[in-house]
Amino acid sequence: MDFHRLLAEATGNHVFVIVLESLLAIQGDFLARLPPEVKTTKEVTSYHEQIVDALENKDKEKVQQLLEEHLMKITVQLQKAAEGIRSADPA
């Protein structure tokens, strides 16, 4: 989560930082309910490293492409995890 905070702070947009902090708190609570998956962790780390490289190279198109891919993959993974939690809930 520190990666996201650092990127948000680098924008200099204080409103964005506040909104992101709220989203990260919700996401952190949700993720705490899930077992960690090594594959997912490695994949996320890889995306973060590629994003930093593209930022350092000032390659805006590559940054945008990587962010979109990363967000889509994470969205799918979180949706699957949420479905798993709902199906495991006997209520």
Side-chain angles (χ1 to χ4, degrees):
M1 303 293 183
D2 289 338
F3 174 80
H4 301 103
R5 278 189 197 93
L6 290 171
L7 281 182
E9 290 170 2
T11 68
N13 183 333
H14 299 294
V15 174
F16 181 63
V17 173
I18 292 167
V19 170
L20 182 72
E21 288 287 342
S22 298
L23 292 172
L24 290 176
I26 293 166
Q27 182 186 22
D29 181 60
F30 179 75
L31 292 176
R33 300 166 193 246
L34 303 174
E37 295 185 28
V38 174
K39 179 183 175 203
T40 300
T41 303
K42 287 180 182 177
E43 187 174 299
V44 168
T45 301
S46 174
Y47 266 106
H48 289 177
E49 289 171 349
Q50 291 176 66
I51 290 166
V52 169
D53 289 343
L55 286 168
E56 288 175 342
N57 292 323
K58 297 181 173 46
D59 187 343
K60 292 178 184 180
E61 289 91 21
K62 187 69 172 177
V63 171
Q64 184 174 355
Q65 173 202 340
L66 289 166
L67 287 172
E68 288 174 4
E69 287 176 15
H70 180 46
L71 290 173
M72 290 304 295
K73 286 188 180 226
I74 292 297
T75 299
V76 169
Q77 290 171 339
L78 291 176
Q79 287 172 338
K80 287 180 183 176
E83 290 168 7
I85 289 172
R86 281 194 294 269
S87 66
D89 187 8

